[in-house]
Amino acid sequence: MSHRGVHHIALARAPRGLSRNARRVLHQQHKRQVKRATFRDCGRRCVYCGTGLGLENATLDHVIPLSRGGSHHPGNLVSACQACNQRKGSLLPTEFFARYPVAGQNFMRYARAVHRQLKRGARRAVSLHFAQAA
């Protein structure tokens, strides 16, 4: 499998000479910063059901799952409630939005910092679902 289309983020590395515990603390701080930034970019809401979230009960969801070739890039991360995150599982966005078109509508509304291509796919999946229902 080719990795040409996969985006990699260069994370700040801990300076040499730090103990393992100090490196672990730096890693936890970085994860916390990514979660806060993603939470803020999604309007403090679950992007799939639209309910308001607190930082303590929000989870990070990879729109394209890691198991299906996704990355940890900020354009692939959104905030979601626990129930929606489990419901989505390892489905691709088009598969998930075809099953739950309301989730696709909310995704287009609240996911502001995701890649444009993901929003286009959500719009396409939702419109196909409603066209088939009519």
Side-chain angles (χ1 to χ4, degrees):
M1 183 163 111
S2 175
H3 292 290
R4 287 184 182 178
V6 178
H7 299 284
H8 294 284
I9 297 176
L11 300 176
R13 299 196 67 170
R16 291 185 178 201
L18 289 179
S19 66
R20 261 191 199 171
N21 193 28
R23 287 179 191 266
R24 187 178 306 124
V25 168
L26 284 175
H27 182 69
Q28 289 172 349
Q29 288 174 350
H30 176 73
K31 283 175 62 176
R32 196 174 303 123
Q33 289 172 351
V34 168
K35 184 175 180 179
R36 283 184 180 149
T38 303
F39 186 62
R40 182 192 63 235
D41 290 342
C42 294
R44 302 181 186 280
R45 294 183 172 273
C46 173
V47 295
Y48 300 123
C49 65
T51 59
L53 295 173
L55 189 60
E56 62 279 348
N57 60 359
T59 61
L60 284 180
D61 180 49
H62 293 83
V63 180
I64 298 178
L66 296 176
S67 63
R68 306 283 289 268
S71 67
H72 291 295
H73 192 270
N76 191 37
L77 294 173
V78 293
S79 64
C81 65
Q82 184 80 23
C84 290
N85 200 349
Q86 288 180 346
R87 186 179 305 130
K88 182 177 175 288
S90 63
L91 295 175
L92 289 172
T94 53
E95 298 167 352
F96 182 67
F97 298 143
R99 288 185 193 176
Y100 304 101
V102 175
Q105 290 175 330
N106 286 331
F107 180 81
M108 289 184 290
R109 182 178 303 138
Y110 297 120
R112 293 182 292 192
V114 297
H115 292 297
R116 234 182 275 154
Q117 181 181 5
L118 294 174
K119 281 196 170 185
R120 280 191 213 125
R123 186 175 295 119
R124 195 172 299 126
V126 170
S127 64
L128 281 174
H129 179 277
F130 285 126
Q132 289 173 353

